[in-house]
Amino acid sequence: VGERLGDKVVVMGTSTGGALTTWAIAQPAFSDRVDAVILCSPNFGVQAFGSSLLTLPFARKLARLVMGETRSFEPGNDLQRLYWTTTYPVDSVLPMAELVKLAINSPVEDTKIPALFLISAEDQVVRPEIAHGRQMGGAAPAHGSRRRRRPLQTCAGRRRHVSLDHPAPGKARHRVVAPDASGTHLTKC
């Protein structure tokens, strides 16, 4: 779709979509077709205790034993309540964990695709320190590129998992990514 709409393709992935984007740009079928990526709170590891067990052979039984048949969370706002699935089968976390494992093991360090990471150091959903350690777009020191980190002022809810969304009708507050003198930050309007 992106190739038909314009001259360049920029892929944005949020949370586990960031893991999928990372895996995809390491695949020859996609790497030559993407010009840049934006990774917003990419899921390269989940903060939840025991999440590292989700890719083990007995994970399905263990997950059901510990978490039950379904997993739920309380929506943080009206838009999340309206558009997100807040209760889902616990089995659905297993493919997510496998995708995260694929993304972490994807050889993206030598890719020439530039990547913008939007990460909150206070994220309580995914592990931001893993994303800080990723090197993409020839940013590895061996390539002579500089890597700059700019702090994000997060306003994405109580769990600090950065998200970009549109304001609800009639609401004055929403989240935007905007440049200022110190670089890109996430802020409320």
Side-chain angles (χ1 to χ4, degrees):
V1 172
E3 292 170 328
R4 290 182 178 229
L5 292 175
D7 296 327
K8 296 190 182 265
V9 176
V10 177
V11 178
M12 181 173 180
T14 301
S15 195
T16 303
L20 179 59
T21 300
T22 301
W23 173 82
I25 65 170
Q27 307 309 306
F30 298 113
S31 61
D32 292 337
R33 300 170 65 189
V34 174
D35 294 286
V37 295
I38 301 169
L39 303 174
C40 184
S41 284
N43 183 4
F44 295 138
V46 178
Q47 291 277 18
F49 177 77
S51 62
S52 61
L53 301 175
L54 293 173
T55 57
L56 297 177
F58 56 85
R60 185 173 314 280
K61 288 182 182 180
L62 181 62
R64 287 179 181 169
L65 180 67
V66 173
M67 296 187 270
E69 292 293 318
T70 61
R71 185 134 169 95
S72 298
F73 67 93
E74 189 62 34
N77 58 47
D78 291 340
L79 283 176
Q80 196 174 54
R81 185 173 285 103
L82 183 63
Y83 294 113
W84 286 47
T85 301
T86 58
T87 299
Y88 50 90
V90 77
D91 288 356
S92 66
V93 301
L94 302 175
M96 177 273 306
E98 289 293 339
L99 176 59
V100 169
K101 186 176 175 181
L102 284 173
I104 286 295
N105 293 314
S106 293
V108 294
E109 290 77 11
D110 293 326
T111 182
K112 300 300 179 200
I113 301 170
L116 171 63
F117 286 76
L118 301 174
I119 306 164
S120 168
E122 300 169 4
D123 197 315
Q124 296 173 21
V125 176
V126 299
R127 296 180 53 202
E129 74 278 6
I130 298 175
H132 279 296
R134 292 307 311 242
Q135 302 280 346
M136 288 187 199
H143 291 88
S145 303
R146 292 183 311 167
R147 220 176 150 198
R148 287 178 268 177
R149 289 195 183 130
R150 296 190 173 117
L152 291 179
Q153 175 186 1
T154 62
C155 55
R158 65 187 187 280
R159 301 207 59 209
R160 303 289 187 244
H161 192 53
V162 179
S163 64
L164 307 175
D165 57 25
H166 301 283
K171 300 279 184 178
R173 294 170 54 176
H174 61 283
R175 298 170 200 101
V176 297
V177 174
D180 69 1
S182 66
T184 303
H185 68 282
L186 191 64
T187 188
K188 288 182 183 175
C189 295

